Amino acid sequence: MASSDDDSPSKSIADIETNETGLGAVKTLLQGQSSGGTAKQVGLAFRHLSVAAPDAGVVYAKTLPRAIINTFGVDQFNFLRSHLFPRGPSKSAQSHARNILTDFTGIVKPGEMLFVLSRPGSGCSTFLRAAANRSTLDVTGHLSFANIDASEFEKRHRRETIYLPEEDRHIAALSVSQTMRFALRVSLPSKIRTDHVVEELVVMGKIFGIGHVLDTPVGGQFFPGVSGGERKRVSIAEVLAAGSSVQCFDNSTRGLDSSTALDFVKALRRLTDLGQKTTLATLYQAGENIYRHFDKVLLIDQGHQVFFGRTEDARAYFEDLGYVPVPGETTAEFLTNITDPRQRRTRPGSRAESITTPSQLAAAFKESAQFAKILQEMSQSEKQLAAETSPIPSSAYNLSYLHQILECLRREYQLIKGQRRVYYTKSVTTIILCLTVGSLYYDLAVNAQGAFTRGGLLFFALILNGWLQFPELFDAHTNRPVLERQASLNLCRPSAVALARVLIDLPLIAFQHVVFILPFYFLAKLQVDAGKFFFFYLTLFVSTVSFSNLLRDLHIMFHHWTIVLVNEFVGLEIACNGVYAIPDVVNADPRYQTCNIPGALPGQVNVPGSQYVEALGWRFDHRWRNIGIMIAIAAVYVLAGTLGSEIMRFASHGGTPIVYARNSSPSRTSSRHSRDIEKEAALSPAGDTSSDSEAGKIHHVGPALTWKDLTVDIGDKQILKGISSYVRPGDFTALCGASGAGKTTLLTALSQTNSAGTLGGKVMFGRKEPGRAFKKSHRCAASDYRFAQQQDLHDGTATVREALEFSALLRQPKHYSRAEKLAYVDRILDLLDLLEVQNALIGDAESGLGVELTKRVTKIAVELVARPKVLFADEPTSGLDSQGAAHIVDYLRRLSHNGQAVLVTIHQPSASLFAKFDRFLALSSEGKQLYFGPVQQVLPYFERHGAVPPPGTNPAEFVLETVGAGVNARNSDKGTDWATRWDESPEAENVAAEIGHVQEQGSSLEDFEDRTTEDYNASVFTQTWLLTIRIMRNQWRNPPYMYSKIWVHVVSAILVGLTFFQLGTGPQDLQNRSFSVFFMVFLVNAIVNTILIRFFLARLYWEFREGPSKIYSWVVLCNASILAEMPGALVCGVVYYLLWYFPSGLPLGEDAGYVFLAVLTYEVFQVLLGLLMMATSPDLGVAGNVLVFMICTMNWYNGLIVPYNQMQVFWRYWLYYLNPFSYLLGGLVIAVVEGVPVHCADSDLHEFSPPPGQTCGAYAAAWASSASAQLINPSATDICSVCIWTNGDQYLEGFDLNPQKWGGKWGFWGIFVAFTVSNLTLVYFLTWATKIKKWKLFYFF
């Protein structure tokens, strides 16, 4: 199969020597990594190694009440202790510990590869973390690297060990080449870190089979990008770039086809030999060819070491013990089966027959000659290493800290370019707001009327630019696990990333402020003075930087506001005329008047701005001092974030227990003893007969799904090309192909779920096309299709039983009663051996439930409880060991042979696993058909066409290797050649004939179409009820969401209540009453941003899984999202009201009841506004920026910050009336101010002198009477004291809030309710428009 041509498709990474560019690049990399004092050859030795984790018994989920109770409780203490003293577990923790690994002994020398083998959950990942010196658990025994103790090695040679976890975590918006360049630039030694070498190594990506996607985003779970297999290769390339001497790979072939997995292991073998690396790897479902590339194997059984030695000795050792392999079983399968009591077979009378526990099996190994050989090898190695010089200490990072920051800066710039849409939205939002608000304050008057308004203008400038930083929280949170992973690979320090983010923010914020200030400053006609302009710019800049590093800190924002206020007012002369002159007497001499603003003295009708701000408590000569303080505070925030990124860790590091729902417990009922034979008979065949005999009993009853010349075009690219096949009830069909061959695309096209692109060819269900009828037929009969997607999208806070009941109640046909549906859930739990974990939370990829159980639940069980007849399963065995994969396939095989059609994509099937299928459909990397027919005829077909398989070959692996699959499959012509042979073969003609025969023989859809016209099996009420309960249960078991909302309300209410504590009835108190009301609107940004995230995730579940599966409709999604938020919103409203209203001393009686009702309505409005923003926007970034625009508009056009009469005419007559906050705040201010009798304190009085010879009454009584002012001392002749109001209604008139306007405060509330209802309507309409009709509201993106 080899070729002398450099572009030969058969070339793999293991054949680097045939590629001069690749060989030169790899050699340059390896030589550079082994120079400069780093350890070239580092072996690994461990003796009596054990790893323990705290064992708290049965672990229950922490719920919202527990989070609230422990706000200042033991959880915080334990959190701080675990992060400040991570290496010092308490005595209580040690006394309640469980061993994950027990007494491991072994050695791996430089240039050797160790295969770590076990079933999932037995301790493979824990061992690899310990071997890489990355474990956060309690590690005991002796672990050494190059004869240096592990603790000492970590201090002096941390860079020399790496652990690559199973999960692929990358910054989704970066391209593959950008991701690789970053890894290379931060990892390469300085002597070879040139642009030429970096580019040469990036080009080396072609050798990894990702050369065609170098410019494609890496992507992620919800971000489009490369395929899962290609993303895995990017992860492997990162590890190669890191260049450590000891490399631990945890299931790194997950998601790769068998041929590509073999290429990966060949590459590992070659790179281990070239660089004398010490390589450890856990690989599930490994074929014999993969196994032979390793030097040693470690077999783990439930945390016990049951074998360690040469790979060629393992099979003989266990056969000598008395274990019997199954014919056709690979060595890896044989070894794994030994650790499974249900699978292993023993020879009668042998020692193996008496071994029943893992500890007994481990004890047998300790007594064996194999163990003695290991001890001897370790002793010889220790003597040899003792005579050698210890490796010279090396830095944990190849780059200096400064250069790390520079490289992170480069990446942040690339990330900004990759997320241009978010920044475009931010710029558009900034421009629109600065123009609109600038015009609102256009040509601001320099008089007493404009003094208050000018202060509001300055506060707006600060708060707007701070709020625009909110959307960046989403990316920071999403990318946090990525940065932790890269830190563990010693690529760069997390603090370098944190500082780079701050530094990249500086020019962005500076540019944002240039765009904002230029029109805003001059439209409002602030002081045209260069010094004041740039001081305002500086303050705004410092304020936004502080805000972006510690969001939601309004206290800091207030101090910045005082600085810009002083800057603006000093140098102004505030004129008082008309009603602002006291008293406003005709032809009055200004010497006998004063100004109606703070700081005015008797005889002053023009008040210096400095005098005004000093009366408010601020001094101009302190502004630079205050700027220095603010810069220092910003620096503290940056330092706190930087240190926190180094200290805090959020990713799991093994030892995670299974978490159970409260008020439940692990089921102790053994499924083997409780199983109902009659129940199981309905789901599986009796006995365990061979595939052939079972196939003979199959009755293909019901319509078959057929497809002929099927094509799928996405854009200009054709993914699938002329695929013809079928699947009948009772067929168990395997779909195989190279990574990226279009297997998932075929399943989505056939199942008509999330099908992207244009579908061509003919697809038939029975004798009709599977349009509406196909989608509906299953909803009225047991005939049904279900698609178990590759993505594990599920609600992690649901228990196993809850997830299955949710699926059963909503997806089973209507003619089944609720009791029958729930009884079927019990049967599926029993069938899939899930009874013992039925009350466990499903969790996420790192939860204690484990990969196999999670897949069994989310990929198989939730689909089976729907009673399907056609089941599509996309890689249900990916990430499982051979036994877990065999279990899943056995379950599916039982179902198919009882009349259900099953089509499964599978990546790395062993020969025994492959034999369980009835039919085999193979695709080339170009998306062409290579074969379809019985699995028994696969090898004969290829043999007839010149590809002779060796004896005992694995058919699936043989086919993929024969057709040129692997990392260079896309550069191969073999797939096309074999596709042409298939098209010209008699087998292809037979398939075409069979399709016609199957269509005629199968049942027609006509029997199904007339039964119902409904789209869903459950009523809208049932769908809404069940989904609402699920969301509310998620809120209960996932405390951070509701806890953060309650915390924001509590803290805000306390701060406002104490700031405006027990307000009086003076003029300033009236203004403070309106301020206390106004501060409530600042809740909306903090609260709605959290709602955005929740609804975004709920919408993704619906878009990618639950909607296409017809579990519930988009209407139900909106219903449940709204209803589930209501209890929390009302609780938050009650808490806020109680902690704010009564401490502030606001009116009781009807007014108190009105405010309470208005606050609750406002909470409902917030929820609907958040859902509306998310329904409008394509992603979180856009939604966050649109939200800022909406909030700023509502906060500043409501008539309080800029009184109605001072608003520009253009905005006054439409935007004011379209603003819901005009009515919310108007009604609230009326409620707390209306009819309040004004009593002025001495500080509230305005003083002026009467003309000589007149009393205050003679001079100003008539004016006081007409102005409804209180003349305090009418008989005085020297200083007259005036309280400008007698009643709160006078204050309201200044804001055009007449208590009788629109029916008073209840009229305001009614209009606000109307806006709230309109939000509700728009949530449904825009969800329908954007998600059903696919309207794009942002065409310029």
Side-chain angles (χ1 to χ4, degrees), residues 598-599 1066-1069 1240-1247 1282:
Q1068 185 61 48
D1069 291 321
C1240 285
D1242 291 343
S1243 58
D1244 296 320
L1245 298 176
H1246 295 275
E1247 297 179 340
V1282 173

Side-chain angles (χ1 to χ4, degrees), residues 60-86:
Y60 292 102
K62 291 185 178 180
T63 56
L64 181 60
R66 171 68 183 275
I68 295 173
I69 293 171
N70 284 283
T71 298
F72 302 102
V74 67
D75 285 353
Q76 280 64 38
F77 172 77
N78 290 335
F79 178 82
L80 292 173
R81 183 183 62 183
S82 65
H83 285 85
L84 295 177
F85 309 102

